[in-house]
Amino acid sequence: MIKTLLRWAISVVSLSNLTSTIISSYKKVRLVDGTRTIIYDFTFIRHCIEFARIEWGYYPPTNPVDLLSKPRLNKPRDTSQERTNSMSFCMDLQRQK
C-alpha cells in the first residue's frame, strides 16, 4: 500500500498542505482501480494523519479525509436466494428421473 501511494503526486504533499481538495483529486484518479481501493487508501491516509496528531503533536483543524464522501460499495449478492433456487432445481431433476 505504501509503495502504491508513493507513486502518486499526493505523496510529495507535506502534511500541513494536505487538503480535502488534494485528496479528492487523488480519489478521482484512483477510482479507475475500484471503490474498495479508494476506501483502503482513505483509511490508510486517515490513519497516518491521526498518527501524526497523536504521536507528533500535529493538530489540523479537521482530518481532510473526514470531509470527503466515501464511494459506496456494491451490495453483496444474496446467496440464500441462489441456494434456494439451486436446491429447487436439483429437487425437480430428481423428480423427473
Side-chain angles (χ1 to χ4, degrees):
M1 167 148 318
I2 294 173
K3 286 182 182 180
T4 303
L5 279 172
L6 289 175
R7 285 186 251 158
W8 297 96
I10 194 171
S11 67
V12 297
V13 177
S14 69
L15 194 56
S16 59
N17 292 329
L18 189 62
T19 63
S20 59
T21 306
I22 293 170
I23 298 172
S24 179
S25 297
Y26 171 74
K27 172 186 170 182
K28 289 174 188 172
V29 173
R30 288 286 279 169
L31 272 174
V32 176
D33 297 322
T35 55
R36 192 171 301 275
T37 301
I38 292 295
I39 292 172
Y40 288 147
D41 287 354
F42 275 13
T43 301
F44 182 72
I45 293 168
R46 185 180 189 293
H47 173 75
C48 290
I49 294 169
E50 288 300 310
F51 182 86
R53 188 181 64 77
I54 294 167
E55 294 290 326
W56 303 334
Y58 171 71
Y59 292 103
T62 58
N63 191 323
V65 177
D66 293 339
L67 301 175
L68 299 172
S69 63
K70 302 346 175 240
R72 296 180 191 249
L73 292 173
N74 294 332
K75 285 185 173 181
R77 291 185 348 196
D78 183 9
T79 56
S80 64
Q81 183 63 38
E82 291 176 14
R83 209 174 297 124
T84 303
N85 290 343
S86 296
M87 293 194 57
S88 171
F89 178 73
C90 290
M91 290 175 74
D92 287 344
L93 284 177
Q94 287 291 335
R95 284 188 211 128
Q96 290 176 2
K97 287 184 180 182

